[in-house]
Amino acid sequence: MLRSACPDAKCTFLTSCRHDNRHEGHTEHSARGLLEGFIQDSVHSETAQQQQTAVHNQTAAMLQIGTSLLSHTAEQTRKLSDVEAQVLNQTTRLEIQLLENSLSTNKLEREVLQQTHDISRLHDKNSLLERKVVEVEQRQQQELQALRRERDELQQAVLQRGELMDALERQLLGATHNQTVLQRQQAELTETVRTLLNAIAQASSQGPAKEDAILFSDCADAYEAGLTASGVYTVKISDSTEAMKVYCNMESQGGGWTVIQHRENGATDFHRPWQEYKMGFGDVAAEHWMGNQHVYYLSHQQHFVLRVELRDWEGNVAFSQYERFYISSEKLNYRIYVKGYTGTAGKYSSFAQSGIDFSTKDMDNDNCACKCAQMATGGWWFDACGPSNLNGMYYTAGQNTGKFNGIKWHYWKGSSYSLRSTTMMIRPVDFGV
């Protein structure tokens, strides 16, 4: 369209001018674009650097914050660990305390169970004791009733005896009015006594009183002299100041026995003081005690054998024999020595052991605080009341059992059986040799 609008030269110039103008504009535009690009790149680079710096600063800040948080977290973790350790320690202590409390509780439970068991046993014992107390009370009531009945019977007997005494007094009063009868009876008695005295005198002049003419040292001496009949003989014991009557058993085990004690009917009281046991008492032909002083003198003349013969109420007889016997002087309380037991009156000897002192009701030399001579009665070698007492209370048949103060020989009949008769006798060891 332009070529057709202008001439060729002019058009070429114009076209060249336009082209130059367009080139200049394009160059300017390019420069402007480069500048803008540079500016933009600079701005962008600065912005990027600023952003990078900001990011770096933020990163540093974030790292610092993170480090601070980590430090804080570590501190908190440490504190939590400490707290956890403390809690664990507290928990452990509490568990230990709970265990100890549990053990203590178990122990207390066992103790409570044991105490409950003990209380139960005590209750059972208490029940048993209560039953026994009731039984004892019932027995005591029965015994009391029996004692009351006995008291009533005794009172009745006393009344009857009082009536009998009154009757006797009346009889005596009546007898006093009959002087003739009494005088006649007195004359008859006098004549009887005179007759007896004449008979005794004749018997003395005719009978074998041969032993009175010769004084023997003991019954063995009399036996060896030919006097073999049992009876009363006169002997003169060494160290004794005068002769004395003794009973000689010339029959048991070959004879020659000097009797130092005999019981047979209870006619003689054996519950006597020291002095009477020392010098002797009773009838030598019946119940008697020879006397500790005489036995002391006799048992020191030579060695003696002791034989104890016993009889019960059922007719049984037994003996205990000792191969050696003697007693000491009064200064040593007539202390007894025996050994070498044989016999049928028990497997063991009922004599107290050797070395026991003699005791009486007024001279307590035993080994018991209870005073055996007072409790068991009589004089004897008691020790601690011991298994024997041949000088105890005499009880008749039917009354002789359950008596702890009777005539006892424990290893034959027991401690509560009172014997019917006893004989203690001695003879020299070398008799008949």
Side-chain angles (χ1 to χ4, degrees), residues 335-338 349-357 367 381-383 387:
R335 188 171 299 159
I336 189 172
Y337 295 90
V338 290
S349 169
S350 290
F351 250 125
Q353 59 183 343
S354 290
I356 302 302
D357 294 350
N367 294 319
W381 298 278
F382 285 108
D383 190 15

Side-chain angles (χ1 to χ4, degrees), residues 200-217:
I200 290 171
Q202 291 177 1
S204 298
S205 61
Q206 298 175 2
K210 182 178 177 180
E211 70 277 8
D212 287 338
I214 302 174
L215 295 179
F216 303 104
S217 60

Side-chain angles (χ1 to χ4, degrees), residues 162-179:
E163 294 174 354
L164 181 61
M165 290 296 294
D166 293 339
L168 288 174
E169 287 180 358
R170 288 193 296 271
Q171 290 177 4
L172 287 173
L173 288 174
T176 56
H177 296 289
N178 196 351
Q179 292 291 334

